[in-house]
């Protein structure tokens, strides 16, 4: 196994998507378990074969070819108080993504965690459900099939916020069978994108 540094992986990813990528972005992908960190003591190293496979299965798509609500998510972390927390706190605390599910969230908790933490207006939330738009979670532009959810009900949360209940058994989209890397600009954590 030949190992690459964060900078080397960032350079490869930059060539793949056509822009400059910095090492902190690669570290976030490792925290979300999208890439495996083989380093120790704060140093990050990545298997070159795994990186090549990741790039091969995640084509660069500037924007997804279907309407959706895009939400930016961060990695989750395990929390021993998880089961003691009230649901609204649990979903807001664990609104991130972790391929290995180290927080041990049930499928419905993972679904709500990604979809229930944004300050959506009631009208926007109902429009998403009525138009049957999926919710696409992404970590630093990386989208996995199990980060695409299909909302069926608007859920009122605390303080006038609205989230969604999604079918935990229905995930993914035929246009993203193995994953993708999309362009995500600076700004909002979520953005409503209509069909091109």
């Amino acid at each position: 196994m030949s190992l690459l540094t964060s900078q080397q992986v960032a350079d490869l990813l930059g060539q793949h998507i056509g822009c400059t990528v910095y090492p902190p972005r690669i570290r976030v992908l490792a925290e979300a378990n999208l890439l495996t960190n083989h380093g120790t003591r704060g140093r990050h190293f990545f298997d070159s074969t795994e990186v090549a496979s990741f790039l091969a299965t995640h084509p660069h798509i500037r924007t997804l070819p279907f309407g959706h609500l895009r939400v930016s998510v961060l990695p989750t972390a395990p929390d021993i108080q998880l089961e003691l927390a009230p649901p609204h706190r649990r979903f807001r605390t664990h609104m991130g993504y972790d391929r290995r599910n180290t927080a041990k969230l049930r499928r419905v908790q993972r679904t709500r965690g990604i979809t229930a933490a944004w300050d959506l207006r009631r009208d926007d939330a109902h429009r998403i459900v009525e138009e049957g738009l999926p919710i696409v979670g992404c970590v630093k532009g990386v989208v996995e099939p199990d980060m695409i959810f299909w909302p069926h009900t608007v859920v009122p949360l605390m303080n006038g916020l609205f989230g969604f209940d999604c079918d935990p058994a229905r995930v993914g989209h035929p246009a993203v069978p193995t994953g993708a890397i999309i362009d995500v600009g600076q700004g909002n954590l979520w953005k409503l994108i209509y069909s091109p």
Side-chain angles (χ1 to χ4, degrees):
M1 170 172 64
S2 108
L3 296 177
L4 303 172
T5 64
S6 297
Q7 183 62 60
Q8 291 171 316
V9 176
D11 292 343
L12 289 172
L13 182 58
Q15 292 171 9
H16 184 67
I17 65 176
C19 69
T20 302
V21 174
Y22 297 100
R25 181 173 178 179
I26 304 305
R27 291 185 205 109
V28 171
L29 297 180
E31 289 169 16
N33 290 313
L34 293 167
L35 290 173
T36 305
N37 175 20
H38 296 280
T40 58
R41 296 187 184 174
R43 295 187 51 93
H44 291 73
F45 292 100
F46 302 91
D47 179 6
S48 59
T49 306
E50 180 187 356
V51 171
S53 174
F54 174 81
L55 295 176
T57 58
H58 292 74
H60 177 235
I61 304 172
R62 293 190 67 78
T63 185
L64 296 174
F66 52 89
H68 61 281
L69 173 66
R70 187 195 71 221
V71 293
S72 294
V73 294
L74 295 173
T76 59
D79 183 356
I80 58 173
Q81 299 296 320
L82 176 67
E83 293 304 324
L84 302 177
H88 68 274
R89 171 78 184 190
R90 181 183 309 152
F91 302 144
R92 276 172 117 16
T93 303
H94 297 277
M95 67 179 184
Y97 176 78
D98 176 0
R99 176 181 275 175
R100 296 192 192 115
N101 194 13
T102 56
K104 305 295 185 227
L105 298 174
R106 295 190 317 262
R107 187 63 164 152
V108 71
Q109 291 173 328
R110 284 168 68 83
T111 305
R112 287 183 178 172
I114 286 184
T115 61
W118 290 272
D119 186 8
L120 285 175
R121 294 188 332 229
R122 180 195 307 252
D123 294 344
D124 286 337
H126 280 287
R127 184 175 185 181
I128 290 162
V129 170
E130 288 166 6
E131 294 185 14
L133 298 177
I135 298 169
V136 177
C138 67
V139 177
K140 296 294 185 183
V142 175
V143 175
E144 292 288 326
D146 66 350
M147 297 165 73
I148 300 175
F149 299 99
W150 297 86
H152 58 76
T153 308
V154 174
V155 178
L157 304 172
M158 296 179 64
N159 302 324
L161 300 179
F162 291 86
F164 302 96
D165 255 352
C166 299
D167 179 357
R170 184 181 179 199
V171 294
H173 192 284
V176 190
T178 61
I181 302 172
I182 61 174
D183 290 346
V184 179
Q186 299 294 323
N188 287 346
L189 290 174
W190 60 270
K191 183 174 183 182
L192 194 50
I193 298 169
Y194 296 100
S195 296

